[in-house]
Amino acid sequence: MTDVYAVTGNPIQHSRSPEIHRAFAAQSGEDLTYEARLGDPKHFESQVREWFRAGLRGLNVTLPFKERALGIADRLTERAQSAGAVNTLWIETNDQGGTTIHGDNTDGAGLVRDLRERQGAPLRDARILIIGAGGATRGILGPLLAQVPRSIMIANRSPEKALALAAAFRSAQAGPVAIPVDGCSLSALQNGGAPPSFDLIIQATSAGMAGHRLDLDTRIAHRGSVACDLAYGPAAEPFRKWAQQAGIDHFSDGLGMLVEQAAEAFQIWRGVRPATQEILERLRASLSVA
Ligand code: NDP
């Protein structure tokens, strides 16, 4: 029987996940369907449980439900716990017919794979700056720390969120040598005669979605810095322009992360690692004509 998978969010019609997962299925010969389903903010938890009861095998979760999806899972992976959010759910049935819903977060792994394997970005021993302290930053911090950077700075418009996130991830580190994780305001990055400079600058705010350009000192970049925006399409343009002004040669947007987090989910569900380059190129081409 054909297995059924879906993505849910609200709104959901903009989601590229059906296109990506159907391409993975076609490429790997996996017998599955994948559809977009509108999530109901009033009854999200019962709605999702009902979908699983009715035979759904796995679900991707996007805005604004990633935090609520955490509460639906009976078992969480470590990275979902550290992210405080779930973007991938699946159901397991045991021999007695009992079911367990599992929850994972593949966003950070998707970003790291894109940065490491496609962008050749510096991660190990790198000084990393993350701008923004929302759900996306929380999701990528654990996987970035696992790459053993030299330090991570989180800068946010509301500095208290950056400080809280930094403190949580500083104290959660289990290894013998703790990697420094600090937080500050956006304006603190501009202060002083010589602001700190970073090897990798990750734009993780939603400012670009409203067309806003962040007021960032170009001196936080150096000749070899890599800039990455988690957003893609028009929302990534303000930061792309800033990176150009800062003299950064290597800029990447969030489309690679989107495809890689989907590949990670597909592998969890089906045990098959899909190739991602072709679908990424197809999505990029469709964005450029949109
Ligand atoms: P949240 O709503 O959780 O957080 C938004 C963040 O943006 C906060 O830090 C907020 O600051 C900041 N912000 C919003 N507007 C401005 C502004 N005008 N100036 C400065 N800071 C601002 O969003 P997420 O963390 O979930 O998402 C962030 C981005 O990451 C989005 O663009 C999203 O599309 C992208 N993303 C991409 C993924 C991919 O696969 N490529 C996956 C997940 C996310 P404050 O705290 O002060 O309000």
Side-chain angles (χ1 to χ4, degrees), residues 5 9 28 38-39 71 73 94 98 100 139 166 168-169 184-185 205 211 229 260 263 285 287:
Y5 294 85
S28 58
L38 186 66
N94 66 24
T100 306
F169 278 82
C184 69
S185 64
T205 78
D229 199 326
E260 295 301 340
L287 274 184

Side-chain angles (χ1 to χ4, degrees), residues 41-53:
K42 277 201 180 129
H43 309 288
F44 180 68
E45 288 77 6
S46 55
Q47 180 185 38
V48 169
R49 289 201 176 94
E50 183 47 41
W51 288 342
F52 277 117
R53 263 195 298 277

Side-chain angles (χ1 to χ4, degrees), residues 132-136 156-158 161 204-207 209 212 214 230 254 258:
N156 195 43
R157 179 174 63 180
S158 316
K161 283 202 217 163
T205 78
S206 49
M209 287 163 105
H212 291 148
L214 300 172
L230 299 194
L258 179 76

Side-chain angles (χ1 to χ4, degrees), residues 62-63 66-67 87 107 111 131-138 140 155-162 186 203-210 212-215 229-232 235 253-259 261:
T62 185
L63 292 177
K66 288 185 186 182
E67 282 83 10
N87 75 341
D107 281 338
L111 173 69
I131 304 160
T137 297
R138 199 181 175 91
I140 64 176
N156 195 43
R157 179 174 63 180
S158 316
E160 66 281 0
K161 283 202 217 163
L186 283 181
Q203 199 301 111
T205 78
S206 49
M209 287 163 105
H212 291 148
R213 184 172 160 171
L214 300 172
D215 180 24
D229 199 326
L230 299 194
Y232 51 85
D253 66 11
L255 208 56
M257 171 183 177
L258 179 76
V259 173
Q261 62 77 26

Side-chain angles (χ1 to χ4, degrees), residues 122 125-128 150 197-201 220 222 224-227:
D125 207 31
R127 291 161 300 174
I128 299 178
R150 190 182 310 173
S197 89
F198 299 92
D199 306 309
L200 173 62
I201 303 172
I220 61 172
H222 58 77
S225 299
V226 168

